[in-house]
Amino acid sequence: MVKSKNILATGLLLFSSVSALAWGQKGHDTTAFIAENHLTPITRAVVDELLNGKSMVYYSNWLDNASHTPEYAYSKTWHYKNIDKDVRFEDAPLLESGDIVRALQQQVDVLSDADATKEQKQLSLMMVIHLLGDIHQPMHIGHASDLGGNRWTVNYFGRDTNLHSVWDSSLPESAHKWSYTEWQREVDRATPQEVETILNGGNPESWAKETFDICTDVYDSTPEGTKISYDYIAKWTPVVEQQFLKGGLRLADLLNSVFDPYYEPKNSVVKK
């Protein structure tokens, strides 16, 4: 009996751990690299100083590992906001340990705080870089009942897997076999008018709500047991491209708003 309980506990921990991951490394690297290409010179200088000369891409996946260490275990639930089927976004219960919407706002507040230390701002920057990717991954606003799609079984080109894993890495990698620099070069082509639409008045809550609407469509289009093949890739590739781009542009806008006194924020997070 004790052994069975231990096995069950281990299984639950594994599910909990997996549910905190979002986009594969490629997705986070792409989001960070798109953002780097839209930083103002002033912002780039501040970011370089805070990251000790390393790039934003270098730290884009840092939080996925850090959240599973004792020092940063408090951030495990910051990667997502789970909302069950038939629950409105506005009515979703709040986790006492936090969620991605509140975590992003908190970390931006630290970055904006003139009294925060370099170490505090460095940590918040590393978190914000990652969380801007997470908030645009549809399954990170998925159902609590299936752990953001981790228990939603599907078949991907003959291989049994789950919906979260498909959206994490399988779908982006099947969409394009590109490096993160190629992803940036190919999708970061929005017109000024399109950029304005993506950025105008946004904040973590509105971004999460937008992702929630996409996630609802993903669930509706992917019943449990779905055999995913080429038609699915063709349908959802434009959404992956769009979410990578939105995450990168919004990350740059946030950082420019915080660090460059001459930059006019497009978001509603940072007030000047």
Side-chain angles (χ1 to χ4, degrees), residues 227-239:
K227 296 184 183 300
I228 294 175
S229 189
Y230 296 102
D231 56 342
Y232 192 93
I233 306 303
K235 175 179 180 177
W236 291 108
T237 289
V239 175

Side-chain angles (χ1 to χ4, degrees), residues 8-272:
L8 176 60
T10 300
L12 290 174
L13 284 172
L14 286 173
F15 270 122
S16 175
S17 173
V18 170
S19 67
L21 301 177
W23 290 139
Q25 181 169 342
K26 189 70 62 65
H28 279 292
D29 288 352
T30 300
T31 298
F33 192 58
I34 289 173
E36 279 194 339
N37 280 271
H38 290 270
L39 299 181
T40 68
I42 291 175
T43 300
R44 181 178 292 276
V46 176
V47 169
D48 284 348
E49 180 183 0
L50 287 176
L51 299 182
N52 297 319
K54 290 185 169 61
S55 72
M56 289 166 58
V57 175
Y58 184 91
Y59 286 108
S60 66
N61 288 276
W62 173 82
L63 192 59
D64 268 342
N65 294 321
S67 290
H68 300 295
T69 65
E71 184 176 4
Y72 301 107
Y74 61 84
S75 67
K76 279 186 179 180
T77 63
W78 291 9
H79 298 252
Y80 56 87
K81 181 179 176 69
N82 285 159
I83 304 171
D84 274 328
K85 184 179 180 180
D86 299 326
V87 176
R88 296 194 317 150
F89 180 88
E90 297 79 7
D91 297 334
L94 298 178
L95 290 175
E96 185 177 342
S97 53
D99 59 56
I100 193 167
V101 174
R102 289 176 287 162
L104 263 173
Q105 183 63 67
Q106 290 165 4
Q107 300 314 305
V108 172
D109 288 345
V110 173
L111 292 177
S112 304
D113 185 356
D115 295 325
T117 66
K118 177 182 177 179
E119 290 72 22
Q120 289 171 327
K121 291 190 175 187
Q122 180 184 57
L123 175 59
S124 290
L125 176 57
M126 290 158 61
M127 288 182 166
V128 167
I129 290 169
H130 183 83
L131 295 177
L132 252 294
D134 280 358
I135 205 168
H136 289 88
Q137 208 275 44
M139 301 317 299
H140 269 241
I141 317 293
H143 299 162
S145 58
D146 57 57
L147 300 179
N150 277 289
R151 290 176 173 169
W152 193 273
T153 56
V154 295
N155 185 280
Y156 194 81
F157 288 92
R159 174 175 58 87
D160 289 334
T161 184
N162 63 75
L163 189 57
H164 190 108
S165 179
V166 166
W167 275 85
D168 179 17
S169 296
S170 300
L171 175 55
E173 290 292 352
S174 293
H176 302 294
K177 278 291 184 184
W178 292 337
S179 66
Y180 70 82
T181 57
E182 291 171 318
W183 268 100
Q184 181 275 328
R185 186 182 67 209
E186 298 301 329
V187 306
D188 189 7
R189 294 166 177 255
T191 66
Q193 293 77 17
E194 290 169 336
V195 172
E196 186 74 23
T197 298
I198 290 170
L199 299 181
N200 190 31
N203 57 53
E205 185 167 0
S206 68
W207 302 332
K209 176 62 168 63
E210 182 183 85
T211 303
F212 168 74
D213 292 338
I214 295 172
C215 185
T216 300
D217 290 341
V218 171
Y219 275 115
D220 290 344
S221 299
T222 323
E224 283 200 83
T226 295
K227 296 184 183 300
I228 294 175
S229 189
Y230 296 102
D231 56 342
Y232 192 93
I233 306 303
K235 175 179 180 177
W236 291 108
T237 289
V239 175
V240 173
E241 296 171 352
Q242 161 193 287
Q243 293 304 96
F244 283 4
L245 177 61
K246 286 181 175 179
L249 293 177
R250 288 165 176 169
L251 174 56
D253 181 52
L254 267 184
L255 298 182
N256 287 332
S257 301
V258 171
F259 296 132
D260 188 340
Y262 303 104
Y263 182 84
E264 183 178 344
K266 310 299 188 299
N267 61 81
S268 63
V269 185
V270 182
K271 307 296 183 183
K272 287 188 176 181

